[in-house]
Structures are given as C-alpha cells and as structure tokens.
Amino acid sequence: MNANHQGHAILISVPLLSLLLSGCIVSETVEPSEPQIEDNTIILNVSTPEAAIEKTRAIDPGLQLRYVAKLFKGDADGGEFVDRKEILADGTIIFNAPIGEYTVDIFADYIDAGATPNSNGQYPDRFYDTSTKNEFITMQSFRSRDGKKTFKYNCINNDNYQCYATRLKIKKEETAYENSLTLKRAVAKVRVVSKDGDINGIDKIRLTAFSFMDEYNFKQKLSGTHVDIESKNILEFEPSAKSSRELFFFYTFGSLQSSGSGPGTISFGIVPLENYEYKSVTIPGGTYYPDANHVYTLKGSFLNPTTQPPQPSNEIRLTVTTTDGWDGSEEKEAKN
C-alpha cells in the first residue's frame, strides 16, 4: 500500500516538473533597428586673413567682399561640375552632396555694394570673371587676351583687384562634413619705384606697354597666360605715392619661371612739368616672375631732371618684401 502511494506521487511530479521548467524560459521580442539616415551636407566656414582686411582700407567703400565656391565631383581638373554657391562677406557656404570624393574651389573678390543676385543666386562680376564651370578665374583688366573685349576698369593703382583663393579636397562620408577655411591672396602686388631723380617734376606717367598674368589656375595657384598691351598711350596717371618715390603699382596673378611664361614688357614715358625732362623707361619681360601673396618692388634710376643729360638705366633691382598679410622675402638684380 505504501509502495503504491509512492509510485503515484512520482507520476504526479513529472508534469509538475515540466511546468516548473517551462516557467524558466524568457521570451524577448527584438525590433529591427532603424537605418541610419545619410547627411548630405557639406558645410564650409570661410574668411580672409584679419591682417589682410586691416591693410585693405584702400578698398572702395562702394564695394563688398563676395565668395564664390565651385564644387566638383572627384578632381576639379577636368572633373564634373556639381554646384556653385555665393555668399557676401565672411560666413558659411553649404552644399548638398551624397557620399563621395569632391574638390571645392573658393574665390573671394570685390563687387558692387548694391549688387543683387540673379535667379541662380549669382552676383554680377566686376574685376574678375567667375562665371565659368571650371577651375579658372580670369582678371578683367584693360582688355581680353584676344583683344576682342575692353574692360571698364584696370589693375593699375587699383587695390580693388585684391582677391583671395583656396582649394580643398573633400572625402564625404555618411555624416555631415564641416571645415573652416582662411583664404590667401591669389595675386601679387608689383611696385615700380625710382631710387633717385626728382619725382616732383612729374605731371603724369604715360604707360605705353604693359603685361600682366590674367588667368588663375587653382591647381597651380598661378597663371599660365598673360595679356600684352602696346600703344602710344595706354593710360595716363599721376604718381601713386611721391613720398615713397613710388611711380605706380599693379596687381597680377603669379607665374612660373620654369614654364617660360611670365609677364612681358612694361614701358612708360613721363609727362614733365615745365623745365623738367625725363627719359622713357622699359622693363623687359623676364625681369621678375611673381608669386601669389608677395609684394615685388622694381627699383631703378627711372628719373632724370634737365640739369643732367638723360642716362639709360642698366640695372633694375627687384625686391620681394614681407608685409602684414603678405608672404615672402628675397632680393635679386636684373639687367635692363
């Protein structure tokens, strides 16, 4: 009798054990994670150097600084143009671009203060042609290289031709891309200074031959082409700074000496005041090869009063100076 009772107890315990074991199983529902949303934003915070702005008080108050950014897929040199953005003054440029590799070329120049954008958000150019969908910017001074177009303004004694540029390679991933960029000057400033002679006898300076580098290439940061102008009277103007014996200055893009391409001949005569006489001056091509963001001083014996017979100058001293906001320091001589 006891044995039967024990067996019956064992039979009952089996389903109870199964029940207890099944209570230990934990049920969990796993929800699929949401896919990460790709952020197609490229954010570029742009500015020009403070030192450069402080030294640019000669800029016409009727002008304003304008930034032009061109976005290219892959390498800009022959690459696919994607988009163009413009802003006024230092600020933020935003592109919409999916994952991939890009090049962005950014150029800053001066345009009319009252300029308004067209339907594409583009402002009218003034001193530089930024309209192309490639990596080149062209200086609009005197006339075009082919001579078919004449421009209202020129780069002689005109600080409004200061401009700034930079190039950036971007590897765009899933997240937003952001970078801050400070642009550097894309032009050189060239000063023509007389080291002796009486500057007070000058009425006007008459330019008869002039040459400048006209097309900026973002890859090389210089120009491979130049505009040459020759005429009996290209332009007449007063000395730019008698106190420093500076006859005139101008802006030009850089050039590469090894390429054999550089600014050509510069020639000028001087319209004297009464009782003065000055010789004509020629600065031959190849005298200098400018680098962007450098100041070049071409110094020679350019002036001779009537009390001395006109003497040809056989030496032009070229000085590359360092100034706030500008790079470079070197000196060399060139024969005339």
Side-chain angles (χ1 to χ4, degrees):
M1 186 71 180
N2 290 337
N4 289 335
H5 281 299
Q6 289 174 357
H8 186 65
I10 291 170
L11 289 172
I12 293 172
S13 67
V14 172
L16 285 172
L17 181 61
S18 297
L19 218 59
L20 290 171
L21 289 173
S22 67
C24 295
I25 297 173
V26 178
S27 175
E28 183 179 355
T29 303
V30 179
E31 303 236 348
S33 61
E34 292 186 6
Q36 184 175 358
I37 298 175
E38 179 185 336
D39 191 332
N40 291 340
T41 308
I42 294 176
I43 304 169
L44 303 173
N45 304 306
V46 295
S47 64
T48 53
E50 273 186 29
I53 294 172
E54 288 301 314
K55 296 295 180 182
T56 310
R57 298 306 179 192
I59 296 296
D60 190 325
L63 301 175
Q64 62 183 331
L65 189 64
R66 179 268 307 262
Y67 289 85
V68 176
K70 298 178 183 179
L71 185 70
F72 300 88
K73 183 74 173 177
D75 193 342
D77 305 301
E80 177 189 352
F81 174 81
V82 177
D83 199 3
R84 170 195 174 109
K85 299 287 185 181
E86 293 189 28
I87 63 169
L88 301 177
D90 296 354
T92 301
I93 297 170
I94 300 176
F95 286 106
N96 186 285
I99 295 172
E101 294 187 357
Y102 298 90
T103 301
V104 60
D105 291 340
I106 306 176
F107 184 79
D109 63 347
Y110 291 94
I111 61 172
D112 292 333
T116 56
N118 61 19
S119 58
N120 296 319
Q122 298 179 14
Y123 291 87
D125 289 327
R126 183 159 176 177
F127 304 110
Y128 294 93
D129 181 0
T130 68
S131 63
T132 61
K133 293 183 178 180
N134 59 32
E135 67 277 17
F136 295 100
I137 300 290
T138 304
M139 182 182 289
Q140 299 187 137
S141 176
F142 286 107
R143 64 168 178 78
S144 59
R145 199 179 318 138
D146 59 11
K148 294 180 179 180
K149 191 171 183 179
T150 301
F151 301 114
K152 184 177 179 181
Y153 309 100
N154 66 77
C155 57
I156 300 285
N157 297 341
N158 193 342
D159 284 308
N160 299 326
Y161 274 86
Q162 293 193 71
C163 61
Y164 308 85
T166 194
R167 164 171 282 190
L168 178 67
K169 300 285 187 178
I170 296 174
K171 186 176 182 180
K172 176 68 180 63
E173 299 179 340
E174 290 183 349
T175 57
Y177 177 94
E178 185 169 3
N179 204 341
S180 295
L181 307 169
T182 301
L183 282 64
K184 298 187 74 171
R185 278 191 187 87
V187 285
K189 182 176 183 177
V190 182
R191 304 170 63 237
V192 177
V193 176
S194 184
K195 65 181 181 180
D196 50 27
D198 191 349
I199 198 169
N200 294 313
I202 297 176
D203 180 24
K204 300 281 186 181
I205 295 169
R206 180 179 292 150
L207 196 64
T208 56
F210 184 63
S211 179
F212 62 98
M213 309 302 292
D214 69 313
E215 190 175 67
Y216 185 77
N217 181 322
F218 278 87
K219 182 177 182 179
Q220 296 180 309
K221 300 179 182 179
L222 50 79
S223 174
T225 64
H226 54 87
V227 175
D228 295 323
I229 306 168
E230 189 170 351
S231 173
K232 291 181 179 179
N233 188 2
I234 300 172
L235 186 68
E236 286 189 6
F237 47 85
E238 295 179 357
S240 51
K242 286 186 175 182
S243 59
S244 60
R245 308 186 64 79
E246 181 182 87
L247 302 180
F248 61 96
F249 67 86
F250 62 92
Y251 287 91
T252 177
F253 287 129
S255 63
L256 190 63
Q257 184 170 0
S258 61
S259 69
S261 177
T265 299
I266 297 175
S267 296
F268 59 93
I270 296 173
V271 180
L273 295 173
E274 191 176 356
N275 298 324
Y276 284 88
E277 181 184 352
Y278 298 97
K279 69 182 188 305
S280 296
V281 176
T282 295
I283 301 172
T287 299
Y288 69 104
Y289 292 86
D291 284 333
N293 208 38
H294 286 67
V295 179
Y296 292 79
T297 301
L298 304 176
K299 186 175 287 189
S301 297
F302 300 142
L303 304 176
N304 290 283
T306 56
T307 53
Q308 301 174 356
Q311 296 293 324
S313 172
N314 61 2
E315 179 184 288
I316 298 172
R317 182 178 294 274
L318 171 61
T319 306
V320 186
T321 60
T322 302
T323 310
D324 289 344
W326 300 82
D327 295 334
S329 179
E330 63 180 84
E331 182 175 305
K332 67 179 181 179
E333 294 181 3
K335 299 296 183 182
N336 184 1

